[in-house]
Amino acid sequence: MHGREQRVLLRHYLEQGLSKAEVAARLGISRRTVYYWVNSGQLDRELDDEPVRYKPRPVVARKVDAFRGIVQMRLSEYPKLSAVRLFDEIKAAGYDGGYTQLKEFVRQVRPTPPVDPVVRFETAPGHQAQVDFAEFRLPWGKRYALVVVLGYSRLLWLQFFRRQTMAVLMRGLEEAFEFFGGVTSELLFDQLKAVIIDDERLDGGRLLENAEFLRFAAHWGFRIRACRPYRARTKGKVERPISYVRQSFFYGRSFLNDDDLNAQALSWMARTANVRLHRTILEAPQARFERDERGLLKPLALQPYRSLVLEPARPAGRLRLPQALPSVERRSLAVYEQIAGGIA
């Protein structure tokens, strides 16, 4: 069967005044076919309304086809085998084709493991806050952002410190508790060394917390929780805000020093982070906090925690001042002469 394109050309040539013999010669068809199309009215139809039909591309034999069985068998047993490794193996079996066609075939047939569904875990108001450090680089050195996010309302607190020690963590958490106006029932950490000494839960053991931080938790009245090793995604309510901090606050912004960095962070929290429409809870964290969560937080401790083993942490922008020298009483030389004469 002749195609639509030939009939369109035939009608075009006839409209230009070419004879049927010339048209047949140009299209490579017989004159009988030209007469049939003209006499049967095939050229009078509106040909442009017909859908264009394309024939399937013919299958081209490739050198890798002879080794499909070997590749599929190996991938069924070891799904993570690389195309480079498989290329070496089938070359040893006699394959003399190129790497590209093997790589394309491996991409088509490699088994894909089912995606482990992530179930969003929502916490009750006042129940949990999630805590983590994140490293940032500034012209004057590295600084560590301590981020605390309330699990229910997503209210966020953020400040930057020189180090990520236990003393810094304790001081930062106390500032966060004061910012929130209370304490949640538990705090979730991601295997922070300042909090977790050892975690043997994967082997049937227990979680070993730092004794000093346990005393800090008891002072403020919260329980310590830690993500299981290699399961940091359970702490996504603070992991995602860290990315948000990098993009919305830190990137493209200039800072004069550490004090300016932390001042801008507090301003950004008040004007942007905590009043924006949160895409998960579909409302502003500040509004959700004030309505549902503030009243359910535990009250603040009467005084800050005083560690018997740790030196108090210093703010990021302040330098340690030298201790005051002991005062020395000043006397005139006559007094010293009297003392010397008395001794003599």
Side-chain angles (χ1 to χ4, degrees), residues 71-72 74-80 106-114:
V71 174
Q72 289 176 317
R74 293 288 285 159
L75 287 175
S76 64
E77 295 179 1
Y78 303 98
K80 295 182 180 180
V106 170
R107 187 182 296 118
Q108 296 171 5
V109 301
R110 184 188 298 279
T112 54

Side-chain angles (χ1 to χ4, degrees), residues 267-336:
S267 175
W268 172 77
M269 286 157 45
R271 298 182 179 183
T272 304
N274 289 329
V275 295
R276 77 192 193 281
L277 179 64
H278 196 285
R279 289 185 296 178
T280 301
I281 61 176
L282 301 180
E283 60 179 319
Q286 187 72 50
R288 186 177 174 95
F289 170 76
E290 298 292 348
R291 186 187 65 237
D292 301 332
E293 193 162 30
R294 179 186 287 276
L296 297 178
L297 295 177
K298 293 184 176 183
L300 296 171
L302 297 179
Q303 60 184 7
Y305 175 73
R306 294 182 179 178
S307 174
L308 300 178
V309 297
L310 296 177
E311 181 182 357
R314 294 177 287 115
R318 298 179 184 175
L319 298 176
R320 181 193 300 275
L321 297 177
Q323 296 181 351
L325 297 175
S327 60
V328 179
E329 183 180 357
R330 295 183 179 183
R331 298 177 181 180
S332 64
L333 292 177
V335 174
Y336 291 106

Side-chain angles (χ1 to χ4, degrees), residues 245-266:
V245 168
R246 293 187 188 279
Q247 293 297 322
S248 177
F249 169 69
F250 191 79
Y251 183 73
R253 201 182 297 258
S254 299
F255 309 99
L256 299 176
N257 48 40
D258 288 324
D259 290 333
D260 181 53
L261 172 65
N262 280 322
Q264 289 197 46
L266 291 174

Side-chain angles (χ1 to χ4, degrees), residues 84-104:
V84 174
R85 172 80 176 272
L86 291 167
F87 181 65
D88 292 337
E89 292 184 3
I90 63 174
K91 276 179 65 178
Y95 175 68
D96 60 353
Y99 170 72
T100 301
Q101 59 178 289
L102 171 67
K103 183 174 67 173
E104 293 176 354

Side-chain angles (χ1 to χ4, degrees), residues 238-249:
V238 72
E239 296 289 353
R240 283 186 291 273
I242 287 176
S243 298
Y244 174 61
V245 168
R246 293 187 188 279
Q247 293 297 322
S248 177
F249 169 69

Side-chain angles (χ1 to χ4, degrees), residues 4 6 14 30 35 50 64 71 84-85 126 128 149 164 172 174-176 217 222 262 281-282 290 308 315 319:
R4 169 178 176 272
Q6 281 189 316
L14 291 177
S30 66
Y35 280 103
E50 290 189 15
V64 75
V71 174
V84 174
R85 172 80 176 272
Q128 185 185 92
V149 179
Q164 47 179 347
E174 288 183 339
E175 290 186 12
F222 66 84
N262 280 322
I281 61 176
L282 301 180
E290 298 292 348
L308 300 178
L319 298 176

Side-chain angles (χ1 to χ4, degrees), residues 42-239:
Q42 295 287 329
L43 303 182
D44 297 331
R45 296 189 297 116
E46 190 59 49
L47 298 178
D48 290 339
D49 293 338
E50 290 189 15
V52 179
R53 296 181 178 87
Y54 297 97
K55 295 181 179 179
R57 180 177 296 179
V59 178
V60 179
R62 299 180 300 173
K63 293 183 178 181
V64 75
D65 293 342
F67 299 87
R68 284 172 173 261
I70 297 176
V71 174
Q72 289 176 317
M73 181 186 67
R74 293 288 285 159
L75 287 175
S76 64
E77 295 179 1
Y78 303 98
K80 295 182 180 180
L81 278 178
S82 68
V84 174
R85 172 80 176 272
L86 291 167
F87 181 65
D88 292 337
E89 292 184 3
I90 63 174
K91 276 179 65 178
Y95 175 68
D96 60 353
Y99 170 72
T100 301
Q101 59 178 289
L102 171 67
K103 183 174 67 173
E104 293 176 354
F105 176 66
V106 170
R107 187 182 296 118
Q108 296 171 5
V109 301
R110 184 188 298 279
T112 54
V115 178
D116 188 11
V118 177
V119 179
R120 186 176 298 279
F121 177 70
E122 296 294 340
T123 54
H127 178 67
Q128 185 185 92
Q130 298 187 1
V131 184
D132 205 0
F133 278 106
E135 181 181 309
F136 289 77
R137 294 187 178 274
L138 292 137
W140 55 90
K142 290 191 295 187
R143 292 297 180 263
Y144 298 93
L146 178 60
V147 182
V148 184
V149 179
L150 297 184
Y152 174 78
S153 64
R154 285 10 182 232
L155 196 69
L156 178 147
W157 177 88
L158 161 72
Q159 285 288 271
F160 292 83
F161 298 88
R162 293 176 182 270
R163 298 186 295 170
Q164 47 179 347
T165 62
M166 185 189 302
V168 166
L169 177 62
M170 290 178 177
R171 177 179 176 272
L173 287 176
E174 288 183 339
E175 290 186 12
F177 296 156
E178 184 177 354
F179 174 80
F180 296 137
V183 185
T184 55
S185 299
E186 64 181 34
L187 265 63
L188 179 64
F189 302 89
D190 182 17
Q191 301 290 317
L192 284 178
K193 293 182 179 179
V195 179
I196 307 302
I197 296 177
D198 195 11
D199 190 348
E200 299 179 350
R201 290 176 294 176
L202 289 179
D203 300 323
R206 60 180 295 272
L207 184 70
L208 182 61
E209 300 96 337
N210 185 292
E212 178 66 12
F213 197 80
L214 277 172
R215 289 190 286 269
F216 174 80
H219 176 83
W220 285 98
F222 66 84
R223 295 187 302 274
I224 299 173
R225 286 199 59 198
C227 296
R228 290 184 178 273
Y230 314 110
R231 292 279 296 182
R233 67 179 182 178
T234 58
K235 204 161 59 62
K237 293 170 188 172
V238 72
E239 296 289 353

